[in-house]
Amino acid sequence: MCGRYATTASTSDLVAAFDAALAEDDASTLDRPSYNVAPTTTVPTVLERAGRSDPEDADSDPAVTRQLRPLRWGLVPSWAKDPKIGSRMINARSETLTEKPSFKAAAARRRCILPAAGFFEWTKDSDGKKIPYFLHDPDTPILGFAGLYELWPDPEKAKDDPDRWLWTTTVITRPAADALGHIHDRTPVIVTPELQDRWLDCTSGKADVARELLDALPEPHLEPYRVSTDVNNVRNNRADLIERV
């Protein structure tokens, strides 16, 4: 499971790192480092999509562009009756990604990348106290978590309402190995730079492509270190939360 992470790069650094363009005129929701990203919050997300303003209008603005967008963490499928389902869908297992109805369509047509500095996991000491660790790659300041995204139409809003569409995302996870396995049995799938273009390219519309790419991605080699228990409280959001203790 990946239930908390940090994203510290500036908007300009993310645009440069992923060769993306801002999808929103106002980047204020993106240009805020977060050292304790929690589910249901807004997170920077990289995706490729036709430039149409209405997702249901297949004939307008057909050019595909790479975009940096603010999405809410917690996937809400387009068929969901209640967007609250997103709080239970912050992760998608790589093993069943192309089989489960909640993720299969997105795996084929709506893959994305969530930039991150690293993520948090917890172990328990002999007294049962939760001990937090931060896992990162000291040689890669911006990691790319493999993700999926969806658009949910709010039935209570008019079709021409610009706020009708709720954009949401989920982080794909896989079994953990090496140094990570003793901390938690699962880890986010990290898209290596050489495979990012292929991961974001959903023009084939086939879920098998996602399966092939997931199988081709190597195990991440991340460094875990202990951090302050202050990160246990989602209300805390400070730079020192990712410092070694």
Side-chain angles (χ1 to χ4, degrees), residues 48-55 57 60-67 69 167:
E48 290 187 350
R49 189 170 180 86
R52 58 184 71 100
S53 57
D54 184 346
D57 185 358
S60 66
D61 303 322
V64 174
T65 59
R66 183 169 299 182
Q67 308 169 8
R69 280 183 171 271
W167 294 68

Side-chain angles (χ1 to χ4, degrees), residues 63-98:
V64 174
T65 59
R66 183 169 299 182
Q67 308 169 8
L68 178 66
R69 280 183 171 271
L71 270 65
R72 194 174 81 175
W73 185 17
L75 197 77
V76 181
S78 60
W79 42 261
K81 294 182 179 180
D82 190 334
K84 292 180 180 178
I85 192 177
S87 64
R88 304 194 303 272
M89 299 179 69
I90 63 170
N91 292 158
R93 286 178 171 258
S94 62
E95 303 94 311
T96 56
L97 191 73
T98 58

Side-chain angles (χ1 to χ4, degrees), residues 94 174 189-192 194-195 198-199 208-220:
S94 62
R174 70 192 306 175
V189 173
I190 296 175
V191 185
T192 55
E194 55 271 22
L195 289 178
R198 291 178 60 192
W199 178 257
D208 289 346
V209 173
R211 177 79 275 146
E212 293 169 1
L213 289 170
L214 288 170
D215 291 342
L217 288 169
E219 292 281 351

Side-chain angles (χ1 to χ4, degrees), residues 1-2 119 121 135 172-177 180 184-190 219-220 222:
M1 178 179 179
C2 174
F119 64 100
E121 287 294 359
L135 298 93
I172 301 172
T173 65
R174 70 192 306 175
L180 311 185
H184 197 276
D185 61 350
R186 300 195 67 81
T187 184
V189 173
I190 296 175
E219 292 281 351
L222 304 178

